[in-house]
Amino acid sequence: GYNKYYEGMKNRIVEMVAFPTNSILGIQTLRHWLANHGVNDPYGGCANIFVSSINPYHTLPSGTPEAGKKLILSYSNPTHSVTIVGYNDSIRYDFNSDGIYTNTIDITGDGVVDIRDWEIGGVILCNSHGEEWGDNGFAYLPYRVLARTTEEGGVWNACAYGVQVRDEVFPQITYKVTIKH
């Protein structure tokens, strides 16, 4: 409604920020943005990723942090954006079914240990599909998926995007109109 629109007019975009999520530095920068905009702000930020809109859920295994919570393990063709609202460096999922959770073993078989091999840690997503999506509108996404390209089942451009806003900008003039045709 108009009231939400009017309140939104008081915010202005100052800067768009891209967080490449296929490197440790990129993941660390994203986490700092989520925690405090990377500059010790008292408030954290959020970020968006572009993904497919329908994906099967999995659950975090019993005996691990957040056991039983919904988890997304891969994406397909991007058609929808979701918001990253936080992170949890303790969640874990055994992608290679070896019975251990690690970020130090080459489970992709490419000869390199990088984020695409991580089985520990991830971000918290919030979706616009409402409370019936995930766990009351939230789900986890492993860092590993953020580091993968769309072709590998990851996110568009292996990147998350944030917006820095300036609030308390007061519009000089506004109109509320009804148009009939």
Side-chain angles (χ1 to χ4, degrees):
Y2 179 79
N3 290 341
K4 288 183 181 179
Y5 182 75
Y6 178 77
E7 290 301 316
M9 284 189 237
K10 297 177 183 178
N11 299 314
R12 295 289 185 269
I13 294 175
V14 175
E15 177 183 24
M16 297 284 295
V17 184
F19 306 101
T21 52
N22 58 356
S23 71
I24 293 173
L25 178 60
I27 294 293
Q28 288 174 335
T29 304
L30 174 61
R31 290 189 321 216
H32 289 293
W33 176 266
L34 296 169
N36 58 25
H37 286 112
V39 292
N40 294 326
D41 263 359
Y43 305 104
C46 59
N48 285 353
I49 53 175
F50 193 48
V51 295
S52 55
S53 60
I54 300 174
N55 302 337
Y57 299 118
H58 298 270
T59 55
L60 289 167
S62 62
T64 68
E66 298 292 298
K69 296 280 179 131
K70 298 284 192 281
L71 176 76
I72 296 172
L73 299 181
S74 68
Y75 282 110
S76 56
N77 298 327
T79 58
H80 181 68
S81 288
V82 293
T83 303
I84 300 172
V85 296
Y87 64 93
N88 184 329
D89 288 338
S90 298
I91 65 161
R92 44 201 72 215
Y93 190 85
D94 188 8
F95 285 94
N96 64 345
S97 302
D98 66 355
I100 58 173
Y101 305 104
T102 182
N103 288 356
T104 59
I105 296 174
D106 176 19
I107 65 172
T108 59
D110 61 1
V112 177
V113 176
D114 60 17
I115 298 170
R116 294 173 299 155
D117 299 299
W118 286 11
E119 296 179 307
I120 303 170
V123 294
I124 305 166
L125 302 178
C126 180
N127 200 336
S128 60
H129 292 228
E131 291 182 4
E132 64 277 353
W133 185 84
D135 294 304
N136 295 315
F138 298 92
Y140 283 105
L141 182 69
Y143 292 134
R144 165 194 171 97
V145 180
L146 282 177
R148 302 175 109 194
T149 64
T150 303
E151 296 77 24
E152 298 169 318
V155 302
W156 182 69
N157 219 21
C159 205
Y161 302 90
V163 177
Q164 183 72 297
V165 297
R166 177 173 47 106
D167 59 1
E168 299 306 317
V169 175
F170 295 97
Q172 298 297 310
I173 187 169
T174 66
Y175 291 95
K176 180 180 178 183
V177 298
T178 303
I179 299 173
K180 294 182 181 182
H181 62 88

